């Protein structure tokens, strides 16, 4: 039997190709990608998995299944005699297959799924652990796995344990220095604050208490809460790292990481800029924060640095607590009732969700995480899949078209890789970072609203998953204003699925889960940090509706004293026409009827040619376009979906006067910033979302000045529900007068000499 068995094994081995032998050696069974039918080898075909497959299988589920021992496992011993030359040939062939597979994956609609990402790490983790002294040697060079492999193949239990909280313990040297024992630690105060059933029930009926504060840098702050009254909360003159309860090694690495924003005597006295100091004081108190003055051109990177510090500090403390309790449980025998002392986790592992609009922003966040954990230490931290991450999230400077004349704020927003469909899990443990970790094995999730929407799915979809959002303790929504230009519905869809009870257990140890997680009170403990570039009704509504942190909410509410109309350089009369609307729901119809009945008749005459109609909402744009077609008006259109050739034709016809009207959407202006030539008459169907767009559009009139300045006109429609946008354009004092005045028409003239 022995000879016959060995003979059958050798025959089976001889039928395998080099690529199959390599996969057999790596994974212990033949790859289904190379299955044969009727003993004839079929040429590989690339197929796509559904987008919802990203989180279809957690590691805990995979580990709980009994391991199936295939006949191919018995062939592993026979593969040890493969020659050195054959191995080299196999690696070269494997690389070529990987290249082709990745090319096809890029062309597909679906992102690389979360389970696929773990398989690509398996060989890389071996290299990273072996080369810990030189972690950048071969990061990301392991063979990527194509999308044809089944989820069962992504259970790299050996290397998964390196980043598993359940199988790791706190190092002895760090246990003594751990700051978690400090009773003043705001992290401990927050997670150990046990709400009572009466307090939760009272939230529905309690009025929200508000309190106004004045801070030196942030300015006017409004504190609100349904749980508690605000105690004395003022920013200190000086702030010291020792008093912030930062987890090691952040005390030493933060100063170097943040040094680019510090200069002169400030560099030696304080590790924070004045803005960072006040922001971090609020973040470290675990209150919700809405800061609407974050701009990519001015303070964007400064703010990114400080919230990344808060994120790493939170994750290190949370993980250190779990690892310390692991050590305690191992060193002592637990008696009955002792389990409550070790409740230190949520229902799922992800603790932090960072929502950013583009891959470039995700790249910068991860780079900050690495620098905060590494600092100036000679011992480099292990970063798995670093090379792959840089390849997928980085950008090639040569890809950007040269000689594009765009405003500085445009260049600052659309820098680097601006792909808006992505998601990535990050696991952090001691001196290691694991990129492309499965969501249920990640501490931090970084994603775009679109990337999350394709996982969460919608009602009625068979494959959808949002359990990984159940125990998010820290939610950061950065550059919220850009989501208004992408799809705000994705953000609302995300918020509706935050901190819900998971549908599956995902292998959690319920004896370690905090009681407020089990009681479905996670949303009262979640801290939300919301950063944007403007005050907007939709962003304000999201903050007021979905932020119910027991520590309270802090919102910056500075009013603009001067409006963007002061930046209009051309001599132009601005006629603001007020329309009446009974309620917020009726504003859309009221604006359309007012425009059709009172504004448009004034411009039907051929004398009023070269009229650009600026429309912020795409739905209003479609409604106007359909009306113009029905009335057979001489018009052309440019929106965010218009092809490049169509844009060129529309601009040409409008400039030459062949088309009297040009319907122009705000999103097109946001993404392209083209200068439209030939404008003589401007109509703002609604006030712009971004205040500086008003002056930019008005200044386009001087692009083709041919002596007709005296005939230029500008008409703006507004209602009492546009108070915030109106104040940003004309200033808060003028806006108050215009809204309270009995007159419905107000005139401003700019550019007077």
């Amino acid at each position: 039997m022995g000879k016959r068995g060995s003979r059958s094994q050798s025959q089976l081995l001889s039928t395998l190709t080099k690529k199959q032998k390599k996969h057999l050696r790596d994974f212990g069974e033949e790859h289904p990608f190379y299955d044969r039918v009727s003993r004839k080898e079929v040429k590989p075909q690339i197929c796509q998995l559904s987008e919802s497959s990203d989180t279809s299988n957690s590691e805990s589920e995979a580990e709980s299944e009994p391991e199936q021992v295939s006949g191919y496992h018995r062939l592993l011993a026979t593969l040890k005699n493969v020659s050195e030359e054959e191995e080299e040939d196999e690696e070269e062939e494997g690389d070529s297959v990987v290249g082709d597979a990745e090319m096809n994956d890029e062309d597909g609609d679906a992102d690389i799924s979360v389970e696929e990402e773990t398989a690509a790490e398996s060989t890389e983790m071996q290299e990273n652990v072996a080369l810990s002294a030189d972690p950048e040697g071969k990061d990301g060079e392991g063979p990527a796995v194509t999308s044809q492999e089944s989820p069962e193949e992504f259970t790299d239990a050996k290397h998964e344990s390196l980043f598993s909280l359940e199988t790791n313990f706190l190092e002895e040297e760090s246990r003594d220095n751990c700051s978690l024992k400090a009773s003043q630690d705001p992290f401990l105060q927050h997670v150990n604050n046990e709400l009572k059933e009466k307090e939760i029930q009272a939230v529905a009926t309690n009025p929200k208490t508000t309190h106004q504060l004045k801070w030196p840098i942030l300015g006017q702050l409004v504190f609100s809460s349904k749980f508690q009254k605000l105690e004395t909360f003022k920013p200190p003159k000086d702030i010291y790292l020792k008093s912030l309860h930062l987890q090691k090694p952040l005390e030493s690495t933060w100063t170097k990481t943040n040094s680019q924003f510090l200069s002169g005597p400030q560099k030696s006295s304080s590790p924070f800029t004045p803005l960072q100091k006040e922001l971090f004081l609020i973040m470290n108190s675990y209150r919700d924060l809405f800061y609407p003055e974050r701009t990519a051109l001015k303070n964007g990177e400064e703010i990114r640095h400080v919230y990344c510090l808060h994120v790493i500090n939170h994750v290190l403390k949370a993980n250190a607590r779990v690892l310390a309790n692991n050590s305690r449980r191992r060193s002592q025998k637990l008696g009955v009732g002792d389990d409550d002392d070790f409740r230190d986790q949520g229902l799922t592992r992800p603790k932090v969700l960072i929502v950013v609009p583009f891959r470039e922003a995700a790249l910068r966040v991860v780079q900050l995480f690495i620098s905060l954990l590494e600092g100036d230490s000679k011992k480099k931290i292990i970063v798995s899949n670093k090379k792959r991450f840089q390849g997928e999230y980085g950008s090639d400077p040569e890809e950007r078209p040269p000689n594009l004349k765009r405003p500085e704020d445009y260049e600052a927003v659309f820098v680097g890789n601006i792909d808006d469909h992505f998601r990535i899990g990050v696991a952090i443990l001691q001196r290691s970072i694991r990129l492309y970790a499965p969501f249920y094995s990640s501490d931090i999730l970084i994603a775009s609203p679109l990337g999350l929407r394709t996982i969460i799915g919608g009602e009625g979809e068979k494959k959808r998953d949002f359990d990984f959002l159940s125990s998010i303790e820290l939610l950061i929504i950065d550059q919220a204003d850009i989501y208004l230009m992408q799809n705000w519905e994705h953000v609302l869809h995300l918020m509706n699925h935050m901190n819900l009870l998971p549908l599956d257990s995902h292998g959690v140890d319920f004896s370690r889960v905090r009681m407020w997680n089990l009681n479905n009170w996670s949303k009262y403990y979640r801290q939300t940090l919301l950063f944007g570039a403007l005050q907007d009704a939709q962003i304000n509504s999201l903050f007021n509706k979905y932020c119910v942190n027991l520590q309270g909410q802090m919102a910056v509410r500075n009013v603009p004293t001067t409006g963007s109309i002061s930046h209009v350089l051309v001599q132009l009369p601005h006629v603001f026409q007020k329309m009446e609307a009974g309620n917020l729901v009726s504003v859309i119809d009221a604006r359309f009827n007012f425009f059709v009945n009172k504004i448009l008749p004034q411009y039907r005459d051929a004398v009023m040619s070269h009229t650009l109609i600026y429309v912020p909402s795409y739905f209003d744009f479609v409604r106007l376009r359909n009306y113009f077609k029905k009335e057979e008006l001489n018009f052309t259109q440019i929106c965010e979906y218009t092809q490049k050739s169509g844009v060129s034709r529309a601009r040409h016809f409008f400039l030459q006067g062949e088309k009297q009207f040009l319907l122009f959407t705000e999103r097109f202006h946001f993404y392209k910033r083209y200068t439209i030539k030939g404008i003589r008459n401007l109509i703002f169907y609604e006030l712009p979302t971004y205040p500086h767009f008003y002056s930019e559009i008005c200044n386009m009139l001087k692009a083709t000045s041919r002596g007709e300045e005296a005939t230029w006109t500008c008409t703006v429609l507004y209602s009492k529900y546009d108070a915030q946008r109106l104040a940003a354009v004309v200033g808060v004092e003028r806006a108050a007068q215009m809204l309270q005045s009995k007159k419905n028409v107000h005139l401003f003239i700019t550019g007077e000499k």
Side-chain angles (χ1 to χ4, degrees), residues 343-401:
R343 294 193 178 274
D344 49 19
Q345 307 175 23
L347 290 164
T348 54
R349 179 171 172 178
K351 308 170 185 64
V352 180
L353 173 61
I354 303 177
V355 183
V356 288
F358 304 121
R359 285 181 183 254
E360 172 67 20
L363 175 68
R364 296 188 182 189
V365 166
V366 171
Q367 288 174 341
L368 278 174
F369 288 165
I370 295 173
S371 63
L372 283 171
L373 291 174
E374 204 169 66
D376 55 355
S377 174
K378 295 181 180 179
K379 185 179 179 182
K380 299 289 185 180
I381 64 171
I382 300 172
V383 183
S384 66
N385 293 323
K386 184 177 181 181
K387 188 173 182 179
R388 175 188 170 192
F389 175 75
Q390 290 173 341
E392 293 183 2
Y393 284 75
S395 62
D396 187 357
E398 297 180 357
E399 294 179 359
R400 192 169 183 83

Side-chain angles (χ1 to χ4, degrees), residues 651-694:
R651 295 175 70 187
H652 173 75
F653 291 152
F654 184 71
L655 175 61
Q656 299 300 323
E658 298 179 24
K659 300 292 184 180
Q660 182 178 354
F661 296 99
L662 171 61
L663 293 179
F664 188 79
T665 64
E666 183 173 68
R667 282 186 181 178
F668 177 84
H669 183 65
F670 174 79
Y671 283 107
K672 299 298 182 183
R673 299 291 182 92
Y674 286 2
T675 298
I676 306 299
K677 297 181 180 180
I679 305 174
R680 297 179 188 173
N681 304 291
L682 261 177
I683 300 177
F684 285 91
Y685 186 78
E686 186 182 0
L687 285 161
T689 304
Y690 287 90
H692 63 277
F693 282 4
Y694 183 86

Side-chain angles (χ1 to χ4, degrees), residues 42-62:
V42 181
K43 189 174 182 180
Q45 296 179 353
I46 305 300
C47 63
Q48 295 293 335
L49 286 178
S50 62
E51 292 179 350
S52 59
S53 66
D54 291 52
T55 54
S56 61
N57 180 42
S58 66
E59 292 180 1
S60 58
E61 293 172 340

